[in-house]
Every structure is written in C-alpha cells, then in structure tokens.
Amino acid sequence: MHIVVVGLNHKTAPVELREKLAFPSDTIEEPLRRVTSIPQVSEGLILSTCNRVEVLAVVRDVGEGIEEIRNFLSSHHRVPMSRLDASLYSYDSYDAIKHIFQVASSLDSMVIGEPQILGQLKEAYSLASKHKTSGVILHKFLHKAFLVGKKVRTETRIASAAVSISYAAIELAKKIFATLENKVVMLVGAGEMSELAARHLLNHGVRDILIANRTYSRAERLAKEFDGRPIVFEDLTLFLDQVDIVITSTGSLHYTIRYNDVRRALKIRKYKPLFFIDIAVPRDVEPRINDIENVYLYDIDDLRGVVDANIKEREEEAKKAENIIEREILQFERWLESLNAVPTIISLRERFEEIRKKEVEKTISSMNGGPKIDKEVLDALTSSIINKILHNPVTRLKGRENTRKESYYIDAIRDLFDLEE
Amino acid sequence: MSILFFKIVLAFYLAGTFAYLSYLIKQRPIISTVATAMLCSGFLFHTVSITLRYMEAGYTPITNLYEAPSFLAWAIIGIYLIMQFRYKITVFGSFVSPIASILILVSSAFSKEIGPLPPILKSFWLPIHVVLAFFGDAIFALAFCAGIMYLIQEHQIKSKKIGSFYYRLPSLKVLDDINHYCLTIGFPLLTLGMITGSIWARHAWGSFWSWDAKEIWSLLTWILYAALLHGRINIGWRGRRAAVFAIVGFFAVMFSFLGVNTMLSGLHTYDR
C-alpha cells in the first residue's frame, strides 16, 4: 500500500491550466468514483482550490498507479497529456506524505501561512468520506495532516506577520501603541487603500476618526460612513495634537503636513507618539518629520519594505515547521508500514501461540498428582484449534482483490489483539 | 552550607540565562518554560542560601562584595519573576537574567569568608538602609533592561529596518510604561534608602552628610532619576529620552554600588 499525490499548483501551472483542471465541489462525486474505479487505486481524494488541483490516492503499485491517475486527469478534463505533462508533479510514499503535510501547514501556499488551505483540505476530505472513496488509510492520514497543520500554526509564527500593506500598518501601530483602543485617527484625503486601512483600524477599536477632505461634502459623507467627524481641510494641522494616527492619501503635489506643524503639535500633546501613514504618491507628509522624537512616518515604500520583511520572517518560521513535519512523517510511516499483511499475520500467529503455550503449561502444572496428561496430545489439540480459528482471518488478510477492505481488517486486527505497531 | 547553595544558584542562573537567550533566538514556547523553571529554581535556592548565610553570620548578609552583588541579583530576579507572571513578557528575561548572572559571577570572585562585623555596622539601620537601597537598585536594573529593549525596538521602527527584534520585542508603549512604573517605585525606594542612611550616619558618624564617595555618587544617581521623574511628569519626557536616562542612571547606580567600593575609598568601604 502506497500513498501517492498527482497534481499541479500555482508554482507549476498558469491559472488557465489550473482552471481547466479544477473540480467543482458540487459535481465531485463522479470524478471521485472514476479515480477509485482504477484497479490500482483503493482510496482516493481530490483537492481542488484556485491554486492547486491534486489527486491523493492509496495505490498498490506506485508506477502504474501514478500513470493511471495522470491519464484520468487528462481524459476527464479533455486536456491532452502533452499540455499537462510539464505542469504535473507526482509524489509517492515519503514524499507524498511530506507534500500533503506541507500543504496542510500552508507551507506550499502562494502566501506562506495563509489560513484557508487547511479548511479546503478538510472540505476535500469530508467530500471523499461522504462519497465513501476514502478508507482507513486516508482517514488516518488526513487527520494526521490536520493535526500537523494545527501544530505548525500554534508552534511557529508562520502566520503571524502581516503580508498586506494595510495589515502591516496596523501591526506597526500596535508595535508603537500596544493597543489601538482609545486612539484617534485622522484620515486626510480619500482613496481605496486609506479607507481600507481606516476600516481595519476601526475594527481594532480606535475611538474616533477625524476626516479631512478638500471637498467638505466628501468628508461629511465619509464621516457618516465611518461614524467619524468631518473637519475643514485647511485646519487639519490644528488637530494634530488630538490624534494618534494620521493616514494621508491626497492627490496634492505639495506636502500637506509640514515639519513645523508636527513639531508644534507635539509640544502641545506632551510628546505623545504620533504615527503617520502616508500612502499618497507624491507624498503628503514632509519626510523630515520622521526625525522628530516620538514621531513615526511610513510612506508606501516603507510599508512595502515591512511586508517584505514579514514575508521573510514567515519563511524563517517555515524552516521550523519543516522540523515538525519531519517528525510527524516518521510517526505516520511507522503506522503505515504496520498495515502490511505479512508482518500482521506473523505477529497475530505469535500472539496466539504465546497464549496457547502459556495455557498448556498452566494446565500441565495444575494437574500435579492428577491423571497423567500427554503433553503432545495437548499441544496437538490446542494448535489445531488455533489454526482453525485463524484460517479465515488469515486468508482474508492475504486477500489480493480488495485492498481497501484489507487495510481495514489489518488496522482492526492490530487494534483488537493489541499487536504492537 | 550557604556556599554550596550559592554554587547551585550560580549554575541555575547561568543555565536560565542560556535558556532565555536561546528563547530570544528560537522563540519556542518550551524553551521559555525551561528558562522560567531554571530561574525560579535558582531564585528558591538563592533565598535559602541568603537565609542560611544570615543564620551563619548573625547579621543581614549585605556587607561585603561577596554578599552585596548576590543580594542585588536576588532582588532583581525576585522582582522580575513577579513581573513575568503578571505581565507575561518573557523576552524581558533574556535581558534581565544576564545581569543577574553577571552580578552572581562578580559575587563569586570575592572572598566568601564570614568575618566579624565592623562595630559601626552593628545597628538595626543596616538592614533597613541597605535593603531599601538595594530594592531601589534592583528596580532600576529592570528599567535599564526596558530601556535597552526600547532603544532596539525604536531603532527598528524609526529606521524602517525591520529585523527579528521587531517581532520579538514588545511594543514601545509597553516598554515605556515599564520605565515609568520602575521609576515611580524605584525613586521613592532610593530616596528612602538615602534618608535612612543619613539618619544612621548621624548616629554612627556624627553628621547627616559627610561627602563620602558613596554619598556623592548616590546623590548624582538620585539627581539623574529626579530629573527623569520631573521630565516625565511635568514636561512629557517619554520614549527614547526616558530610556536613555534609565540606562545612564543604571550605570551611575552600578558605579556607586560596585565601583565606589572597588576603586575609591571612603566611609562606605568596609571590607578592605
């Protein structure tokens, strides 16, 4: 029994090809059935998201199994193999386990650490299990993968650093102010990105938003939307002593907020920190104000720099995740190996033989002084009972025709007779 | 007996420091648990060691250069552990534990013999004066660590060179708050330490103030922290400036604590 993965993802295939290979979840039953009807395949699952399409299967023979699944992908979507070949990857055994654990941990995602993939994998599993195309191996494997994904998430900070500009700004604000509660924000000018940032800030509990716009009616309208206060654009520097975070995005060609305005405001606010987020190009805030004590100014390029650093941080964390994954693969492989029929039959026989011997000894020693018992007769009798009992289960375990059932039996027998893994 | 415990303390603090520093790099929760356990165990043995020393010597063990740094380290770790359990800032330990380790190492470099207490120190003022001053110093040590962390974090944010410290250190606000708390508790302790000292001096040496080296340095230290407190409350000093003050202030503390006794001589030099 081997686990294999065949598929493509955002690294190997352009979106046009990924679209062609996608499996919509509402019509997934038929392709699932087709995969498991391949003679080599005993269990199957299909993971289809906008960044990847992968068929995960348990097969008898790795080479043939992978070949059949590749053909299935090509024929089912009517894409010639010549177009698919360069984009398709396939992994088996150790590499397949590793790959799925990486996918579950979001290490293989376009944005490392993004949270959706684990949910998508769960969905794929529940569809396979609903249509009964997954068996004991995929069941155990996927649950292990979910566990690994969770573990990586909690034990590393792979998902902690913000990878979007507006979230990076929020994180910076938190590194300055600790909490955004009771902070006051000023929004200067309007624009999609500044409004998005303002909305994020509101979600993080800022107390008030002041809105300045060259067109006062626009400020009024935004104020209504954000439940804030409109202020007159020409007066905005007079409010700098009352706010903690300023987001600017005007179309102005000159600086709207100047060094001296900030200096003056800072004295009045007793040097309480002031954080400027300038997403306008050309910039709205005089760059020099970053030199003032307790004033922090980030323009759009600075924020991009933070995002880049955050991505690097996630990649650093991903290395830790690899260690976690490595340990879990070992554990899972041990379980998988135990599912081989031959060692199971051997240990099953050993277990029975052990019990039989012990009971024979017991009987003979307890018959001390009683009627004489022939040990050979006793051995012959007990052995033949055991052989009769074991005959049917062993034939079933050796059965070659249905691997899915077989692994169920092996797993059950190991559990029922407490055979060590 | 107290010496044996002292060696155990040294081992635990060094191990704890090592663990805290590797936590700073690796950030694995398990390492922080180990580090905290090391430091807690070290602190317990330290408490026992100081108590035993107290019983062996018959006076509060803070009179020579073996006892004093060790006592200061004990106070620093004790206050730090309370802070860690209250505020859950584990990285703080990566900055505090090296200081405690260095103090203990300094301590271990000096003679551990218990000599007869100079007659002039036989007074109930000894524990009062010294313990107040030491707890003040210990709190300033924490302010010093917060100051260093502040400067690192502030540099990262100001220069926009986001490095690994940016993710590991707490926010500027939290670090500045620690500076503020430490100042409002440490400064009164230092003041009380100096007042009790001068009352004792009146009894022992006949005058409240005699321009002894330790007195001068303590006064300098006091003026530094008084200036910071004034700046914080009345002008709105905070952040970087307060952090720098806390760092400079602690160097003054360390000099009047160790430097005066090893490099200068005066009324406070007893163990030579």
Side-chain angles (χ1 to χ4, degrees):
Chain A
M1 240 85 60
H2 306 276
I3 292 179
V4 299
V5 180
V6 180
L8 43 73
N9 66 16
H10 55 95
K11 292 175 198 161
T12 66
V15 64
E16 301 79 41
L17 193 56
R18 301 204 300 270
E19 274 168 1
K20 279 219 170 69
L21 281 229
F23 294 91
S25 63
D26 45 345
T27 55
I28 201 136
E29 185 174 356
E30 197 254 315
L32 273 174
R33 295 230 175 286
R34 277 193 61 187
V35 170
T36 41
S37 67
I38 300 171
Q40 280 294 336
V41 174
S42 61
E43 301 179 31
L45 176 152
I46 296 174
L47 174 65
S48 175
T49 74
C50 45
N51 284 329
R52 68 181 66 247
V53 175
E54 293 183 350
V55 175
L56 171 62
V58 178
V59 299
R60 271 201 167 278
D61 181 273
V62 171
E64 275 177 52
I66 287 174
E67 200 44 48
E68 294 284 344
I69 294 168
R70 283 162 60 95
N71 291 338
F72 153 76
L73 281 173
S74 160
S75 68
H76 186 267
H77 292 291
R78 294 193 187 89
V79 181
M81 199 35 130
S82 53
R83 264 201 74 196
L84 267 183
D85 200 39
S87 301
L88 276 186
Y89 49 76
S90 53
Y91 302 108
D92 67 272
S93 312
Y94 174 89
D95 296 323
I97 298 170
K98 185 171 180 173
H99 176 74
I100 294 298
F101 283 180
Q102 280 169 336
V103 168
S105 315
S106 189
L107 295 180
D108 199 47
S109 299
M110 200 185 262
V111 177
I112 291 180
E114 60 91 8
Q116 277 119 331
I117 184 64
L118 192 58
Q120 290 161 335
L121 195 61
K122 279 182 178 164
E123 172 72 13
Y125 170 68
S126 83
L127 285 171
S129 111
K130 182 178 147 203
H131 299 304
K132 300 200 170 56
T133 60
S134 67
V136 65
I137 294 178
L138 284 190
H139 171 82
K140 185 112 177 184
F141 181 41
L142 267 295
H143 280 89
K144 193 82 191 172
F146 302 150
L147 216 77
V148 172
K150 228 172 163 183
K151 207 168 173 181
V152 165
R153 192 153 282 272
T154 51
E155 287 186 13
T156 73
R157 292 173 311 132
I158 187 171
S160 64
V163 285
S164 75
I165 293 210
S166 50
Y167 268 110
I170 303 272
E171 256 180 31
L172 268 166
K174 281 189 172 169
K175 280 288 179 193
I176 295 168
F177 299 110
T179 164
L180 299 182
E181 270 160 47
N182 282 320
K183 295 289 172 281
V184 181
V185 178
M186 187 195 280
L187 202 59
V188 182
E192 202 182 328
M193 205 180 317
S194 66
E195 282 168 36
L196 187 67
R199 218 174 287 278
H200 284 326
L201 286 167
L202 273 175
N203 289 339
H204 281 82
V206 300
R207 194 182 70 212
D208 203 1
I209 292 196
L210 305 187
I211 293 161
N213 199 295
R214 251 179 237 288
T215 330
Y216 189 73
S217 60
R218 182 106 197 252
E220 273 182 317
R221 205 172 56 233
L222 276 175
K224 211 172 254 170
E225 204 183 317
F226 288 125
D227 200 14
R229 282 185 285 153
I231 56 174
V232 176
F233 190 84
E234 284 68 27
D235 292 346
L236 74 90
T237 52
L238 300 176
F239 289 91
L240 285 177
D241 58 317
Q242 297 172 26
V243 301
D244 305 288
I245 301 168
V246 180
I247 305 173
T248 59
S249 64
T250 76
S252 163
L253 294 175
H254 308 286
Y255 294 138
T256 309
I257 295 170
R258 293 183 169 278
Y259 186 78
N260 285 334
D261 301 330
V262 179
R263 272 207 85 105
R264 200 176 325 115
L266 214 66
K267 206 171 266 172
I268 304 171
R269 54 189 282 121
K270 283 195 157 189
Y271 304 99
K272 272 197 303 184
L274 198 48
F275 179 29
F276 289 89
I277 303 164
D278 184 0
I279 36 192
V281 180
R283 289 175 292 180
D284 281 338
V285 185
E286 198 174 342
R288 193 150 70 95
I289 70 150
N290 192 48
D291 301 338
I292 303 173
E293 216 175 302
N294 298 321
V295 175
Y296 306 93
L297 163 63
Y298 273 70
D299 62 33
I300 189 78
D301 281 358
D302 299 333
L303 288 173
R304 280 199 192 109
V306 175
V307 168
D308 288 346
N310 287 352
I311 289 170
K312 256 193 212 121
E313 167 78 0
R314 284 189 176 201
E315 282 162 3
E316 268 318 294
E317 290 297 306
K319 285 181 199 156
K320 282 188 214 164
E322 296 288 353
N323 293 335
I324 296 175
I325 287 177
E326 210 62 40
R327 258 177 282 145
E328 299 289 338
I329 297 177
L330 255 131
Q331 241 187 53
F332 183 73
E333 274 196 317
R334 216 170 297 150
W335 176 81
L336 200 59
E337 272 164 27
S338 79
L339 282 193
N340 273 329
V342 178
T344 304
I345 293 167
I346 292 170
S347 31
L348 185 64
R349 280 198 186 286
E350 277 169 357
R351 170 56 51 94
F352 273 63
E353 183 63 18
E354 193 188 314
I355 296 169
R356 189 195 66 78
K357 267 192 186 142
K358 217 187 253 163
E359 292 305 311
V360 168
E361 297 293 331
K362 236 197 245 117
T363 310
I364 288 172
S365 65
S366 71
M367 285 300 180
N368 256 349
K372 185 103 176 110
I373 293 179
D374 192 340
K375 186 165 182 285
E376 265 169 47
V377 175
L378 209 53
D379 272 339
L381 168 69
T382 49
S383 295
S384 93
I385 292 176
I386 281 176
N387 284 338
K388 286 264 150 62
I389 291 175
L390 283 179
H391 176 76
N392 210 36
V394 166
T395 348
R396 278 291 159 85
L397 286 182
K398 280 182 181 160
R400 287 265 154 192
E401 66 288 339
N402 195 333
T403 48
R404 202 183 329 163
K405 248 182 183 170
E406 189 185 299
S407 40
Y408 265 126
Y409 288 150
I410 293 172
D411 194 45
I413 280 174
R414 290 205 159 261
D415 198 27
L416 288 174
F417 294 103
D418 197 22
L419 306 179
E420 308 257 309
E421 276 180 17
Chain B
M1 234 350 226
S2 68
I3 309 277
L4 169 71
F5 275 90
F6 179 81
K7 284 180 179 145
I8 300 174
V9 172
L10 180 60
F12 269 124
Y13 282 176
L14 289 177
T17 302
F18 180 74
Y20 269 109
L21 290 178
S22 46
Y23 173 71
L24 186 63
I25 299 163
K26 295 240 172 85
Q27 295 276 298
R28 293 272 304 277
I30 176 86
I31 303 178
S32 88
T33 314
V34 171
T36 310
M38 289 290 163
L39 218 55
C40 281
S41 321
F43 180 71
L44 288 180
F45 278 104
H46 206 166
T47 311
V48 174
S49 158
I50 289 172
T51 313
L52 284 175
R53 178 84 178 185
Y54 176 75
M55 295 197 298
E56 284 165 20
Y59 54 82
T60 321
I62 35 184
T63 61
N64 59 36
L65 285 173
Y66 160 65
E67 295 164 347
S70 156
F71 189 85
L72 182 58
W74 177 79
I76 290 173
I77 297 294
I79 298 167
Y80 164 70
L81 285 174
I82 295 170
M83 270 184 72
Q84 191 190 317
F85 286 117
R86 262 202 78 181
Y87 299 104
K88 314 256 179 267
I89 311 176
T90 314
V91 273
F92 205 178
S94 313
F95 293 79
V96 176
S97 58
I99 293 185
S101 291
I102 290 169
L103 283 169
I104 289 283
L105 283 171
V106 168
S107 204
S108 64
F110 288 92
S111 158
K112 300 175 180 57
E113 258 165 65
I114 299 175
L117 190 64
I120 205 157
L121 293 182
K122 281 187 187 139
S123 164
F124 68 94
W125 286 108
L126 171 69
I128 299 176
H129 165 58
V130 180
V131 168
L132 281 171
F134 277 27
F135 270 92
D137 292 352
I139 286 169
F140 289 139
L142 297 181
F144 167 78
C145 294
I148 302 256
M149 288 159 81
Y150 187 96
L151 290 189
I152 297 173
Q153 183 69 292
E154 208 240 6
H155 176 74
Q156 305 246 313
I157 296 177
K158 229 359 178 210
S159 70
K160 293 150 191 178
K161 290 194 188 90
I162 302 294
S164 53
F165 274 115
Y166 170 76
Y167 306 102
R168 286 155 169 73
L169 296 183
S171 66
L172 295 178
K173 167 85 164 79
V174 165
L175 293 170
D176 192 48
D177 281 350
I178 293 174
N179 177 295
H180 185 71
Y181 291 140
C182 288
L183 192 64
T184 49
I185 301 166
F187 185 72
L189 284 174
L190 177 67
T191 312
L192 282 173
M194 287 173 71
I195 291 172
T196 52
S198 92
I199 296 173
W200 185 16
R202 177 83 179 85
H203 288 287
W205 303 327
S207 91
F208 285 112
W209 190 264
S210 32
W211 297 104
D212 144 70
K214 185 153 259 176
E215 288 175 358
I216 296 167
W217 275 94
S218 302
L219 184 65
L220 269 173
T221 311
W222 188 87
I223 290 170
L224 266 172
Y225 283 113
L228 174 56
L229 194 63
H230 169 76
R232 279 206 85 109
I233 294 170
N234 297 316
I235 311 171
W237 284 3
R238 63 180 80 230
R240 189 184 166 76
R241 193 172 299 209
V244 169
F245 256 94
I247 292 167
V248 174
F250 185 65
F251 278 114
V253 164
M254 282 323 280
F255 189 76
S256 47
F257 173 67
L258 288 176
V260 168
N261 285 64
T262 50
M263 288 179 235
L264 308 172
S265 64
L267 295 169
H268 273 85
T269 324
Y270 303 107
D271 60 341
R272 272 203 273 182

